[in-house]
Amino acid sequence: MLSLADVMQAAKTLRGLADDTPLVPSALSGRLGTDLWLKLETCQPVGAFKLRGAVNAVSNLPEGTAGVTCCSTGNHGRGVAWAARAKGMRAAICMSELVPQAKVDGIRALGAEVRITGRSQDDAQREAERLARDEGFAEISPFDDAHVIAGQGTIALEMLAARPGIDTLLIPLSGGGLAAGMAVAAKAINPDIRLVGITMDRGAAMKASIDAGHPVEVEEVASLADSLGGGIGLNNRLSFPLCRELLDEIVLVTEDEIYGAMQALYYEDRMVAEGACVVGIAALQAGKVEPGRVMGTVITGRNVDMTEFTRVISGQDVSLGDLTVKGRVYEP
């Protein structure tokens, strides 16, 4: 399994490329009853934290690798496309029909080929596996790859170096690459730190898998936190056992709670961010997480569908497949 040494090595690889994003105090702290700090991965060149894991993984590929592939809900694909272009490599990114067009366009703008396959991340994953098997691509998992996990773990290194007093980390949870990497680093630095994985309550693959005791498939549905969608892979080797072992708790938030947190982050902290970024804030606002003395969370990405985002901040209804989130005007 991974260790702090792996994360430290990743930090050296990322130096000057995908590191040292700002850690800022949140204007929401007083309302939420805690000293809350926000790690702004929105400031990465591709607008999301996924660049860390992608750069670390691509940098560790064998010389002569012709191309890379992955499945992605958007941000991992953008990170892999950026890292591959920097190395002069071909990239083919596999995505499902549920991925917002803005994220598809962002990946194509980086020169990568996009393959839209099926209605779920599991469908996209199968296409990435086919490319690796039949066409010789190197596959980089968005979460179940040692170099990806170590790269994401550098976020915790930076947060705890800047604010050693942080006693709780609220970590957006999907396939578990971010949570596993941050947990490996944070628990090594401070074994008493509380780690809370947070995700939406519809299609929460990691939570369902941990409850079942093994990786399971879940139905993938539209969500304001679309970056947290998708499964964890039935053959998950790394992120599942690390999250099961190291996370202290997992909390689920509703689409309505995510909606309110997106509004709060925008109006109070003046930030444009994806729904996946605000699940920690959503859990605090809903009283689902006990406030710590000093807490940190990751604002994971800014690559949001701006039409949908505008509907949220202006208080309009948002349609998510079979679910409509009722709009409401933000009240401080």
Side-chain angles (χ1 to χ4, degrees), residues 1 14 59-60 65 80 98 105 124 156 248 271 278 329:
M1 300 299 281
L14 301 186
S59 297
N60 280 280
T65 301
V80 169
L98 292 177
D105 293 342
D248 295 297
M271 292 184 190
V278 303
V329 175

Side-chain angles (χ1 to χ4, degrees), residues 185-205:
K187 287 290 190 182
I189 294 168
N190 176 11
D192 295 326
I193 196 167
R194 180 170 57 135
L195 303 180
V196 184
I198 307 173
T199 190
M200 67 283 198
D201 65 354
R202 304 198 312 156

